[in-house]
């Protein structure tokens, strides 16, 4: 309302009435000659931006955020900020720090945050607290603060009900997963059909097209395996748990899919304490099905009262004894190492693509393509 009053006064209407404010959108669409005639004003230029409001914006940008003229001109969208909204943001977030960065630091990194609606940002941060999402994660992806609360909650619940995505809910890049949810789901379904989903991690979901293509061809990168495995241990066993040096003693620790490790840990936690699991940490490298089968045999063979504290150690022993303690026991029966041959057998690949297309006939956004063309669509 204040902006409209300033504009009308600058256009020559000395006494602004409620009728002028109410009819503002209509008046702004009038031709210059018609506007002057209706309001009995002399020859002036029509301006849609109030000079007074514009000067206030420039003052805030220069003196409160220390933006120079060159920066302001380069980011001309800043002229569209709401002064009251920005001043409220400064007041409400004055004492809040994200990763030791103040609001002013964050705005210098990502000035577009000034366009975000203050009330919606506050609602979203409040939702973070309720969902136990550290608002510090916002530092890694400030764009997520532009999302609407309802939409964010809808996507979050969807991810929580998905085993493959829920495991990353405490990862610092989780907000990126939510923001790019369409891309993430597209890649999730695609990897599921190619039977390589267990090997995927949060970097793969958010990677570039080139890296994703290399991944599904079997050339996945293991450089970040330590960090991701540490995240899994902290998330599933406790923040004080760091058994990387122990787990690395296994010759094939890098080759075990993270999702398989997570499933094994979650299965073991149902029946054993974290302490028992940590004392036999190498057992988490084995497929859940093998662990379950071996434990059931041990339950029948030995008394639970007498051997309950040693079941995991016995299980680990039995799992490796069959393979002469070479470490080969970690491989699932049906495969040895992950290697996708989707481009080597065009018949099976086209059959796979056909199956995917049939499942998405109801989705108007999905193109019915074949072979590599379908892959290219997914990588967009």
């Amino acid at each position: 309302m204040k902006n409209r009053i300033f504009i009308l006064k600058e256009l020559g209407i000395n006494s602004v009435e409620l009728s002028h404010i109410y009819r503002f959108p209509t008046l702004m669409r009038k031709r210059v000659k018609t506007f002057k005639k209706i309001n009995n004003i002399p020859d002036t230029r029509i301006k849609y931006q109030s000079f007074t409001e514009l000067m206030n914006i420039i003052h805030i940008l220069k003196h409160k955020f220390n933006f120079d003229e060159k920066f302001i001109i380069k980011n001309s969208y800043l002229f569209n900020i709401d002064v009251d909204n920005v001043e409220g943001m400064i007041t409400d977030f004055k004492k809040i720090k994200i990763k030791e960065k103040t609001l002013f630091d964050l705005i210098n990194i990502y000035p577009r945050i000034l366009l975000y609606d203050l009330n919606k940002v506050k609602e979203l941060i409040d939702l973070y607290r309720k969902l136990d999402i550290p608002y510090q994660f916002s530092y890694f992806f400030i764009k997520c603060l532009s999302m609407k609360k309802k939409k964010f909650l809808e996507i979050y619940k969807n991810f929580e009900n998905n085993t493959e995505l829920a495991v990353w809910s405490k990862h610092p890049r989780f907000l990126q997963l939510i923001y790019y949810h369409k891309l993430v789901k597209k890649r999730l379904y695609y990897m599921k059909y190619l039977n390589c989903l267990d090997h995927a991690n949060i970097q793969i979901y958010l990677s570039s097209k080139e890296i994703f293509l290399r991944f599904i061809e079997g050339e996945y990168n293991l450089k970040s395996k330590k960090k991701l495995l540490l995240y899994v241990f902290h998330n599933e066993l406790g923040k004080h748990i760091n058994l990387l040096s122990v787990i690395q003693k296994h010759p094939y620790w890098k080759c075990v899919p993270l999702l398989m490790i997570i499933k094994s840990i979650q299965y073991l936690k149902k029946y054993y304490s974290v302490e028992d699991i940590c004392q036999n940490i190498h057992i988490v490298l084995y497929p859940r099905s093998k662990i379950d089968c071996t434990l059931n045999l041990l339950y029948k063979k030995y008394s639970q009262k007498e051997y309950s504290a040693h079941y995991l150690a016995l299980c680990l022993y039995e799992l490796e004894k069959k393979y002469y303690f070479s470490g080969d026991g970690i491989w699932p029966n049906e495969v040895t190492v992950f290697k996708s041959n989707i481009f080597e057998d065009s018949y099976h690949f086209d059959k796979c693509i056909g199956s995917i297309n049939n499942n998405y006939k109801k989705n108007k956004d999905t193109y019915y393509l074949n072979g590599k063309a379908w892959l290219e669509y997914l990588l967009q």
Side-chain angles (χ1 to χ4, degrees):
M1 183 180 291
K2 184 168 62 175
N3 187 53
R4 291 186 178 187
I5 293 172
F6 286 146
I7 292 175
L8 291 170
K9 283 186 176 180
E10 289 166 4
L11 291 175
I13 302 176
N14 296 321
S15 180
V16 179
E17 299 176 356
L18 286 175
S19 59
H20 292 115
I21 297 171
Y22 178 77
R23 295 171 57 214
F24 182 85
T26 304
L27 290 171
M28 291 298 101
R29 287 194 292 269
K30 298 293 184 182
R31 297 177 64 182
V32 176
K33 190 175 181 179
T34 306
F35 182 90
K36 289 190 294 182
K37 186 177 180 180
I38 292 172
N39 297 286
N40 298 315
I41 55 177
D43 188 18
T44 57
R45 288 186 179 182
I46 298 289
K47 299 178 181 64
Y48 291 89
Q49 183 80 22
S50 162
F51 284 128
T52 305
E53 193 77 356
L54 193 59
M55 292 306 295
N56 287 339
I57 291 172
I58 293 172
H59 177 79
I60 288 176
L61 295 176
K62 276 188 171 183
H63 301 288
K64 293 195 176 181
F65 299 110
N66 297 319
F67 293 152
D68 56 30
E69 290 182 9
K70 188 177 180 181
F71 181 88
I72 295 172
I73 293 171
K74 184 180 178 181
N75 299 277
S76 57
Y77 60 83
L78 291 173
F79 290 125
N80 296 317
I81 64 174
D82 185 314
V83 174
D84 293 334
N85 183 70
V86 172
E87 288 179 343
M89 196 177 286
I90 294 171
T91 303
D92 290 4
F93 296 147
K94 188 176 183 180
K95 296 181 180 179
I96 291 180
K97 285 190 175 183
I98 299 178
K99 295 289 287 184
E100 299 304 317
K101 300 286 185 181
T102 65
L103 174 67
F104 298 98
D105 295 326
L106 294 175
I107 289 171
N108 274 279
I109 296 170
Y110 188 71
R112 198 171 286 273
I113 195 175
L114 291 172
L115 297 174
Y116 296 171
D117 185 276
L118 172 62
N119 293 324
K120 291 180 180 179
V121 171
K122 288 165 70 176
E123 284 181 358
L124 201 57
I125 291 177
D126 186 54
L127 181 62
Y128 289 174
R129 293 192 184 101
K130 290 179 180 177
L131 298 176
D132 197 26
I133 300 174
Y135 69 85
Q136 304 288 347
F137 284 3
S138 300
Y139 174 75
F140 298 99
F141 198 68
I142 301 174
K143 283 184 183 179
C144 207
L145 290 174
S146 65
M147 293 185 69
K148 293 181 179 179
K149 177 183 175 181
K150 185 178 179 181
K151 184 66 176 177
F152 183 94
L153 188 58
E154 179 187 334
I155 299 168
Y156 178 85
K157 287 181 177 178
N158 187 283
F159 278 22
E160 281 294 291
N161 292 326
N162 186 293
T163 307
E164 291 81 9
L165 297 176
V167 298
W168 305 110
S169 62
K170 301 301 178 185
H171 194 279
R173 297 186 71 189
F174 181 65
L175 293 180
Q176 279 180 271
L177 281 182
I178 290 184
Y179 189 83
Y180 294 114
H181 62 99
K182 290 182 180 179
L183 172 68
V184 170
K185 286 183 179 179
K186 198 184 292 183
R187 290 184 172 184
L188 174 80
Y189 295 138
Y190 190 66
M191 289 187 289
K192 188 173 288 187
Y193 275 98
L194 293 180
N195 196 29
C196 60
L197 190 57
D198 282 356
H199 294 265
N201 56 55
I202 195 166
Q203 275 85 348
I204 296 301
Y205 285 113
L206 298 170
S207 66
S208 64
K209 292 190 292 185
E210 291 75 17
I211 292 176
F212 183 69
L213 180 59
R214 283 171 53 198
F215 169 78
I216 63 170
E217 288 181 328
E219 301 174 8
Y220 58 100
N221 197 332
L222 297 173
K223 288 182 180 179
S224 60
K225 188 65 179 278
K226 286 184 182 180
K227 289 183 180 179
L228 293 170
L229 192 55
L230 188 61
Y231 161 78
V232 170
F233 286 160
H234 286 174
N235 192 42
E236 297 292 338
L237 301 174
K239 291 186 177 180
H240 62 288
I241 302 297
N242 186 354
L243 297 168
L244 284 180
S245 59
V246 181
I247 209 80
Q248 285 177 271
K249 292 179 181 179
H250 195 286
Y252 306 123
W253 73 275
K254 280 188 176 182
C255 303
V256 182
L258 281 173
L259 195 58
M260 194 174 86
I261 293 175
I262 293 167
K263 288 177 179 178
S264 295
I265 293 175
Q266 290 175 346
Y267 166 76
L268 291 169
K269 280 165 63 179
K270 293 178 181 178
Y271 310 102
Y272 296 93
S273 67
V274 170
E275 184 180 356
D276 288 338
I277 297 171
C278 290
Q279 287 176 355
N280 302 278
I281 194 62
H282 286 114
I283 199 170
V284 304
L285 297 175
Y286 295 82
R288 182 176 56 183
S289 57
K290 284 190 175 184
I291 297 172
D292 181 62
C293 181
T294 306
L295 282 173
N296 285 329
L297 291 174
L298 290 173
Y299 294 152
K300 294 177 182 178
K301 188 175 181 180
Y302 301 105
S303 166
Q304 291 192 30
K305 290 183 179 180
E306 187 177 353
Y307 293 96
S308 60
H310 307 288
Y311 271 129
L312 290 187
L314 285 170
C315 181
L316 191 57
Y317 174 82
E318 290 293 334
L319 284 168
E320 274 305 330
K321 184 175 72 172
K322 183 179 178 181
Y323 299 92
Y324 305 100
F325 305 97
S326 63
D328 288 335
I330 66 167
W331 308 118
N333 293 329
E334 64 274 10
V335 294
T336 53
V337 292
F338 164 58
K339 176 65 179 176
S340 174
N341 295 315
I342 59 173
F343 296 120
E344 294 176 14
D345 191 334
S346 60
Y347 170 76
H348 289 294
F349 182 62
D350 287 337
K351 188 177 179 182
C352 169
I353 297 302
S355 175
I356 298 175
N357 283 335
N358 290 334
N359 279 277
Y360 287 90
K361 282 183 178 179
K362 294 181 180 179
N363 187 344
K364 63 181 180 181
D365 296 326
T366 303
Y367 299 95
Y368 305 119
L369 307 173
N370 290 316
K372 293 185 181 180
W374 206 92
L375 172 61
E376 285 299 320
Y377 162 71
L378 282 172
L379 293 176
Q380 291 176 2

